[in-house]
Amino acid sequence: MDPFQDFQASNSSPSTATLTPNFPASLSMSAVATNTNPSPAAAMVAFSPSSTSPSTLSRYENQKRRDWNTFGQYLRNHRPPLSLSRCSGAHVLEFLRYLDQFGKTKVHTPLCPFFGHPNPPAPCPCPLRQAWGSLDALIGRLRAAFEEHGGKPEANPFGARAVRLYLREVRDSQSKARGISYEKKKRKRPPQVPQPPPSTS
């Protein structure tokens, strides 16, 4: 059985939605996932049916489901529409850049006087972007969801080299612009208690 059959079946009907700057996709994605009477622009595409009640899922699993459904909506609204089996790393990058318009993290430009300041003392006109940590977590959830829905690890567009390089570039640029280090802190090893010398009798 084609692992993408469920998605393609739900994606085969003509979509009345169009991809516009008002498409309500964000990393929270709660509006898309919980709207019980969605407008055409907020209609949700289920990649595959699931009998599991959302109330029985963990917070991570619920978020992963919302992310997966929102990415499916993005593919459906794409012009021309895309099937999951034809999605590449380039389309994932397009999706991530699209989400930037819903970001809430101030990223200072090199010409900004607050460039590199973690706590700027005044507002500035620099753009809002999706934080690197949010994008990194999003890609992790979508990468896992892809394989859970039958995708092969070697064909996973969310694990493409271009996506990894993009996330690294976002991390480095935001670290410099915001004056924040994203390096993982090494755990301090507990000090070793010196052993007493063996007693001689």
Side-chain angles (χ1 to χ4, degrees):
M1 179 179 178
D2 186 349
F4 305 109
Q5 184 175 354
D6 291 333
F7 167 70
Q8 291 174 333
S10 64
N11 198 26
S12 59
S13 59
S15 171
T16 58
T18 57
L19 185 58
T20 69
N22 294 323
F23 178 72
S26 68
L27 292 186
S28 65
M29 302 182 186
S30 57
V32 179
T34 60
N35 191 355
T36 56
N37 187 23
S39 63
M44 188 172 62
V45 177
F47 277 43
S48 64
S50 175
S51 58
T52 307
S53 171
S55 61
T56 64
L57 297 176
S58 67
R59 181 179 178 181
Y60 170 81
E61 292 297 329
N62 278 321
Q63 185 64 58
K64 183 168 61 176
R65 172 182 286 185
R66 289 194 294 269
D67 296 343
W68 185 245
N69 287 334
T70 301
F71 185 72
Q73 179 65 53
Y74 183 81
L75 293 183
R76 182 180 179 182
N77 289 342
H78 195 278
R79 291 293 175 266
L82 283 170
S83 64
L84 182 62
S85 58
R86 300 186 64 181
C87 178
S88 67
H91 298 119
V92 175
L93 293 182
E94 186 181 275
F95 177 63
L96 295 180
R97 294 188 181 105
Y98 168 73
L99 292 179
D100 258 339
Q101 65 184 298
F102 306 101
K104 298 180 180 180
T105 298
K106 179 78 71 173
V107 179
H108 302 290
T109 64
L111 298 178
C112 178
F114 304 136
F115 183 82
H117 288 253
N119 298 303
C124 66
C126 292
L128 296 176
R129 296 286 184 260
Q130 295 288 355
W132 165 77
S134 297
L135 293 178
D136 188 57
L138 171 68
I139 289 299
R141 291 190 296 267
L142 290 175
R143 185 173 183 174
F146 177 86
E147 296 179 16
E148 288 172 4
H149 287 78
K152 296 181 179 180
E154 61 272 16
N156 194 328
F158 304 102
R161 183 173 183 271
V163 176
R164 297 197 304 271
L165 292 176
Y166 175 79
L167 289 176
R168 186 183 307 170
E169 179 183 337
V170 171
R171 181 195 64 187
D172 294 345
S173 63
Q174 289 192 7
S175 177
K176 293 178 182 178
R178 303 176 62 204
I180 297 175
S181 175
Y182 289 120
E183 296 297 330
K184 292 184 179 180
K185 295 182 179 179
K186 295 182 179 180
R187 292 183 178 179
K188 293 183 179 180
R189 294 183 178 180
Q192 294 182 352
V193 179
Q195 297 293 330
S199 60
T200 58
S201 56

